[in-house]
Structure formats: C-alpha cells, structure tokens
Amino acid sequence: MSSSIDLNLVRELEQRAFRAWPALETHSAHGWVQRLSGGYTKRANSINALSPKSDLTLEMKNELEAPYVGRGAPAVWRLSPLAPAGSDAFLARAGYRSVDLSLVQRAPLDDRYRRDPEVIIDSVPSPAWLAGFAELSPVAPSHRETMARMLASIAAPVGFAHVDDDGRPVAFALGVVDGDHVGLFDVLVSPTARRRGLARRITQTIGAWGRENGARYMYLQVVATNAAALPLYAALGFGTVYSYAYRVS
C-alpha cells in the first residue's frame, strides 16, 4: 500500500461499502456515521468517520456512543484513514483494544474475470442460500432475521452467488454493483467443498457479472491475516488501497 493515500478514493469506497452492506439504522454527527443493526456484524454496528470536522474529544466520543449505550450495545469504532489522526491513540488511552485489521483492496475487471458455468447468480437469495450462508458465516440464530432484512434492503443490482452440490449450495458470495464498481462480500466455502478452486471461480464470476452490469472495478474487504485469501486476490489483480481496524472496549 502506498504511503500516499487518496482520501477521496477512500471516502468513495467507504460510501459504496456502506450502501452495499446497509445498516438498519444510520445517524450522522460531527462528520461521523453511526450504524446500528441489532448487533449483527461489527461493520453494520460501528462508528465510522467520513468527513470529520475536528479531532475526537471525550465529549464527542460520549455523544457518538450514546445510541449504542442507550440500547445496551457495545460501542465499536471502525477507524479508516478518514478518522482524525489522533483518534486511534485517544481510544487506546481510553482502554479500547484494536481488533481485526483489514485491507480494502481493488482490482480492474480485466479478462481474468469470466463466468464459470457452475456458479449461479440470483437476484434474490433463496431460503437454501440464506440457511447455508448463515451456517457458514456463522450467524447466530438471534441475528438471522436481521441478516435477512439487511440483505433484502440492498439496492439492485445485487447478485447472490452460489455453487451447488446435489441441489444444495456449498459455496456463497455476494456481489453489489454501484456505478462503475462491484463490491465482493463474504466468500464462503463449505469444508466439504474445499480444494476445488470455488473461491476463485465465484470471485471471477461475480467480477464478470459486475462487468455485465457496468462495473469496471471490483473492491473487497479482507482481514489482513487471511493467508488463504490474500494470494488469490493478488493473482486476480487486487491491490490494497487502505486499511482499517476496529477499536472495541
């Protein structure tokens, strides 16, 4: 990743990702976005900077955390390069620990991206897709209704990709087109179906589908320690644009 980060591109990708993975409730204050979704995923239940107007202060911190505290939920901060420079150290001094360093990567959709005939893309998730996705994620039973509501609220074009064995989906991913970008989310492969290149094939197919729907680039978010996924994404032309991590109490 270059030491010179294009903050306009960061903001653009952040906004695309927020739209692609919509929170059930969103508020904004002081240039920060508060996303709440009943506790399902940190991504949709976190405080994120988009256009911060000043450094993070104790008063601002308490105000931004209030919607979570009022619901008895943990306050989770997701810190990208858009957060004021001192935010990470400020939260560390307040006792928040850093978890899940992740990379936001992007690739041009070139001829490496082509449809695989075994990969099916549907515009709505079937009950089998929802059940299999929830099992592999895994999604707690108490969060499955929230998960279904969030997926149903994603604006088209959205593609629910899967590969089936004997009529049962064993590999999953989600693609969301927004302008000239397609976002790739949650590539999951059942342990019984691994070592068949399904993650690569489903990624390439979503890229091809995205290109058919006007996209020229694909972006994704991957945990920095995911040693299995990173070489695959590098081989498909992905490069890191920026990173982010969470601060949790």
Side-chain angles (χ1 to χ4, degrees):
M1 181 170 56
S2 170
S3 59
S4 177
I5 297 174
D6 182 345
L7 294 182
N8 288 327
L9 178 57
V10 173
R11 187 172 292 107
E12 174 189 326
L13 291 174
E14 288 284 283
Q15 291 171 324
R16 291 184 192 278
F18 291 167
R19 290 191 292 266
W21 194 256
L24 296 183
E25 187 178 342
T26 301
H27 305 281
S28 297
H30 306 292
W32 294 76
V33 176
Q34 302 145 296
R35 290 161 49 85
L36 300 101
S37 300
Y40 172 55
T41 78
K42 291 194 300 299
R43 190 188 316 165
N45 292 272
S46 57
I47 305 166
N48 302 260
L50 270 185
S51 301
K53 298 174 174 59
S54 62
D55 290 342
L56 186 60
T57 64
L58 179 59
E59 181 181 15
M60 193 186 304
K61 169 187 170 296
N62 292 340
E63 179 183 342
L64 290 168
E65 290 183 342
Y68 304 88
V69 173
R71 291 164 171 77
V76 176
W77 294 79
R78 182 176 166 279
L79 300 179
S80 77
L82 299 177
S87 301
D88 189 59
F90 176 88
L91 291 168
R93 291 193 298 271
Y96 290 66
R97 56 195 174 86
S98 181
V99 299
D100 294 345
L101 176 66
S102 300
L103 311 175
V104 176
Q105 299 191 325
R106 188 171 76 142
L109 292 174
D110 55 26
D111 58 9
R112 285 173 286 195
Y113 293 87
R114 53 194 179 276
R115 279 189 179 257
D116 185 298
E118 288 192 45
V119 180
I120 302 164
I121 298 183
D122 298 318
S123 59
V124 295
S126 68
W129 192 99
L130 291 170
F133 181 86
E135 179 182 349
L136 285 179
S137 290
V139 180
S142 60
H143 287 153
R144 293 193 180 187
E145 181 182 354
T146 299
M147 178 198 81
R149 288 174 61 200
M150 288 172 59
L151 292 174
S153 70
I154 300 172
V158 55
F160 298 89
H162 56 100
V163 176
D164 295 348
D165 266 351
D166 295 325
R168 177 176 175 269
V170 294
F172 307 80
L174 178 69
V176 183
V177 173
D178 186 342
D180 64 354
H181 282 65
V182 57
L184 175 71
F185 297 89
D186 294 311
V187 178
L188 303 172
V189 179
S190 169
T192 62
R194 289 178 184 163
R195 301 186 183 280
R196 290 166 46 185
L198 293 183
R200 174 183 53 78
R201 291 159 61 190
I202 212 165
T203 297
Q204 289 173 305
T205 297
I206 287 182
W209 169 83
R211 191 164 52 185
E212 292 163 11
N213 283 277
R216 296 188 299 118
Y217 298 94
M218 178 183 277
Y219 72 93
L220 57 83
Q221 304 169 30
V222 58
V223 176
T225 55
N226 191 335
L230 290 172
L232 164 64
Y233 294 143
L236 290 174
F238 280 91
T240 298
V241 180
Y242 63 99
S243 64
Y244 66 85
Y246 294 93
R247 281 280 179 185
V248 299
S249 58

